Amino acid sequence: MNKKFAIAWLSIFVVWMIGSFIVHGVLLHDDYAKLPNLFRPEADAQQYFPLMILAHVIMAGAFVWIYARGVEARPWLGQGIRFGIGIALLTVVPTYTIYYVVQPMPGIHVVKQIVFDGALLLVLGAVVAFLYRNEKRA
């Protein structure tokens, strides 16, 4: 692991945690509150918060690692947005679609999850691409 990778990992972790709070703690908060049988009460969920941090550390590291292995000598913003779309199609879209199949969740809630988390991944893709913008690979 080099310095650039460590800085990118930390940066993506912080942006992802903040973005997830905005998406799930603010934008979707009321939607989750309407589904008390599907989700833990907020007070109960707090005891598991260290696992949330661990999950975001792992995701951020994997996100940066995958990007760093495939960065090309192309414009960084387009590359980052494409990467975010690819990761969203690999993770967000199928995950929430599967949840919809197995949990009695309103369809509009799933659409919001996909749109908001998808947008967050576009931001994360742009951030990691910005941090790796001077990498020149064949």
Side-chain angles (χ1 to χ4, degrees), residues 38-135:
L38 293 180
F39 299 101
R40 296 181 191 277
E42 287 183 48
D44 188 30
Q46 287 303 312
Q47 70 179 329
Y48 298 101
F49 194 71
L51 290 174
M52 183 71 70
I53 293 171
L54 176 62
H56 279 80
V57 166
I58 292 167
M59 292 187 307
F63 192 85
V64 173
W65 180 70
I66 294 167
Y67 185 84
R69 296 302 173 268
V71 65
E72 299 173 347
R74 299 176 72 177
W76 66 268
L77 184 57
Q79 192 168 198
I81 296 298
R82 284 189 301 276
F83 182 68
I85 290 169
I87 296 297
L89 292 173
L90 180 66
T91 60
V92 170
V93 174
T95 298
Y96 288 129
T97 302
I98 291 167
Y99 287 172
Y100 180 67
V101 170
V102 299
Q103 290 181 310
M105 195 172 300
I108 189 65
H109 181 83
V110 175
V111 169
K112 288 178 184 179
Q113 288 175 314
I114 289 170
V115 169
F116 294 155
D117 266 346
L120 176 57
L121 281 172
L122 296 179
V123 170
L124 293 171
V127 170
V128 75
F130 176 78
L131 294 169
Y132 272 85
R133 69 191 177 279
N134 294 326
E135 284 289 309

